Amino acid sequence: MEFPRSKLPDVGTTIFTIVSRRARELGALNLGQGFPDYDIDPRLAEWVGRAMRDGHNQYAPMEGLMELREAIARKLARVYGLKVDPHSEITVTLGATEAIYCGIQALVGPGDEVIAFDPAYDSYEPAVRLAGARCIRLPLTQPDFRYDWDRVRKAVNARTRLILFNSPHNPACTAAMPADLDELAAAIRPYDIAVLSDEVYEHMVFDGRAHASVLGHPELRERSLAVFSFGKTLHATGLRVGYGVAPAQLTGELRKVHQFNTFSIAHPLQQAIAAYLTENPDTGRDLPGFFQAKRDRLRAALAGCGFSLPPAQGTFFQLLDFSGLCPPGDAAFAELALTEAKVATIPLSPFYADPPELSVVRLCIAKRDETLERAAERLAELAGRLGRAGA
Ligand code: GLN
């Protein structure tokens, strides 16, 4: 008899953890797991120190510090023109991942179906299964990762309880268009279906596009839990502070789970983020330009070396297409890049229930310019070797 009996027998350690560990062991440049390698704003660090010195060291309110929820409501008003009630519609969570996990536990159970789009971020399906529900994985189209709305309409039914939406999309680097939100709203209209929208890359949308949040879509707003991340916005993924925004009833259900999961989030961090946002009410405004410049720097450094670079509309990633240089197989290519070029990348196949043949890996652009340049040099050199070997 197997002991303990696994609830997730086919789940291993996440690809991010594995790749970061191996990058450390091999001394590789880590363009795998998505996190910045540059400093945060020192003012944020000062606020964290001050919050602890000022005694904000005991439990924060379960829903999140009111000052922080008010700062979030002001940001939602400024950026999206939304009126959100900080009392009943905003919950501070341990990163976006906790909001996603608790949202799923709160909304689905045995017999329910949840739709996710492949490639799907790796935490979605395990959370659905731990809730006892079934995750239906619908692939985005190849090679441009668009939604097949016909397929979505055919997949939804009376058992469907939740759709997991993600824009800007990790790892596809696409951004949903307002028409996608209309299609989504129309697809779920006949049923009692909620939307959990992972929008952690809301400020990383490029080329003059605006982020299309479900919160800005009046029909979806009524049925959605939208999830955001201070780790991404403040360049500090180790903060593990995020939040969920949903109508009062849905928020109530989310909080029922959140209160028994993490209960409440690090008080000094919430205090510090609230103070920082009050001091810098425009936080996030410079991020599209900042990350677009990173994307463009990496693209320019890799131009003409044999890889192709699919369009990256958003997120802090860029896909690298190696189909001109070696046969399909993203895991094998990622291994080659890691061991031969000493550049860690993330293959996309772990984000699929049923991976197609893939010739792309994901590179993180949230890195110092010199890290991006060095990684590009190494990848270009690898491309040169592969090109010669293939010639
Ligand atoms: N969100 C990060 C990424 O996509 C990974 C975070 C994690 O390792 N859980 O790279």
Side-chain angles (χ1 to χ4, degrees):
M1 195 182 61
E2 192 197 341
F3 182 85
R5 205 193 58 180
S6 176
K7 292 184 73 178
L8 297 170
D10 53 339
V11 171
T13 305
T14 77
I15 188 68
F16 307 117
T17 302
I18 291 174
V19 168
S20 281
R21 189 191 295 150
R22 291 204 61 215
R24 273 194 303 277
E25 282 164 11
L26 293 168
L29 290 173
N30 192 353
L31 266 56
Q33 195 176 30
F35 63 88
D37 70 344
Y38 43 82
D39 291 335
I40 62 163
D41 184 341
R43 279 299 283 168
L44 177 60
E46 279 167 30
W47 281 116
V48 174
R50 192 183 302 181
M52 294 194 100
R53 280 193 301 277
D54 287 353
H56 301 290
N57 299 308
Q58 309 309 330
Y59 296 129
M62 176 276 279
E63 309 86 340
L65 202 64
M66 200 55 212
E67 291 91 318
L68 180 55
R69 285 185 282 147
E70 279 167 351
I72 292 167
R74 286 196 296 275
K75 171 242 156 177
L76 292 168
R78 174 177 63 77
V79 179
Y80 304 115
L82 294 167
K83 220 171 145 305
V84 174
D85 178 6
H87 291 273
S88 62
E89 298 188 310
I90 298 174
T91 308
V92 180
T93 57
L94 199 142
T97 299
E98 195 228 344
I100 293 167
Y101 184 82
C102 292
I104 291 170
Q105 303 312 308
L107 295 174
V108 307
D112 295 340
E113 289 181 3
V114 177
I115 291 177
F117 298 98
D118 281 3
Y121 187 63
D122 65 346
S123 81
Y124 299 167
E125 167 143 3
V128 170
R129 281 162 56 192
L130 288 171
R134 219 177 121 216
C135 198
I136 310 294
R137 312 270 298 251
L138 300 182
L140 298 174
T141 59
Q142 279 285 347
D144 53 354
F145 301 108
R146 305 309 319 178
Y147 293 93
D148 179 346
W149 289 111
D150 253 347
R151 202 153 169 191
V152 179
R153 280 188 291 274
K154 286 191 189 112
V156 290
N157 64 74
R159 285 183 305 276
T160 316
R161 282 270 83 77
L162 183 65
I163 300 214
L164 300 171
F165 197 69
N166 171 214
S167 178
H169 191 282
N170 176 16
C173 308
T174 51
M177 292 177 293
D180 289 315
L181 300 187
D182 290 338
E183 294 276 12
L184 175 61
I188 64 176
R189 196 172 295 143
Y191 301 102
D192 191 11
I193 300 175
V195 174
L196 200 165
S197 185
D198 175 351
E199 303 186 11
V200 299
Y201 300 104
E202 62 177 323
H203 297 303
M204 291 124 209
V205 181
F206 310 138
D207 307 313
R209 266 191 210 90
H211 170 54
S213 173
V214 292
L215 299 179
H217 190 285
E219 202 179 342
L220 292 175
R221 166 81 169 97
E222 294 306 308
R223 294 173 171 231
S224 297
L225 165 60
V227 169
F228 302 91
S229 158
F230 285 116
K232 309 292 184 296
T233 303
L234 301 176
H235 307 286
T237 58
L239 280 177
R240 312 302 298 132
V241 182
Y243 54 98
V245 180
Q249 272 201 336
L250 217 161
T251 290
E253 295 308 310
L254 170 70
R255 289 178 182 174
K256 286 182 195 174
V257 180
H258 162 74
Q259 68 185 343
F260 295 121
N261 185 8
T262 54
F263 172 58
S264 75
I265 305 309
H267 194 163
L269 295 183
Q270 292 196 66
Q271 191 74 38
I273 296 170
Y276 184 87
L277 294 181
T278 304
E279 190 175 66
N280 303 283
D282 278 348
T283 296
R285 186 167 283 176
D286 60 333
L287 292 183
F290 177 83
F291 284 105
Q292 185 173 323
K294 299 261 178 221
R295 178 201 68 176
D296 292 345
R297 178 173 293 271
L298 182 65
R299 290 178 70 93
L302 285 167
C305 73
F307 291 114
S308 55
L309 299 160
Q313 301 172 323
T315 73
F316 52 45
F317 306 109
Q318 164 71 55
L319 296 178
L320 181 76
D321 182 328
F322 56 83
S323 56
L325 295 165
C326 46
D330 60 340
F333 179 82
E335 183 64 20
L336 196 70
L338 180 61
T339 52
E340 298 284 313
K342 298 280 187 292
V343 177
T345 65
I346 298 287
L348 266 59
S349 43
F351 305 98
Y352 281 86
D354 186 11
E357 278 203 336
L358 288 162
S359 294
V360 285
V361 292
R362 194 195 77 176
L363 304 176
C364 177
I365 59 172
K367 302 291 168 187
R368 288 190 296 251
D369 290 348
E370 74 185 54
T371 310
L372 295 174
E373 303 275 358
R374 278 171 60 210
E377 262 169 45
R378 293 181 186 189
L379 290 169
E381 205 185 301
L382 175 67
R385 266 183 279 153
L386 290 170
R388 279 191 298 279

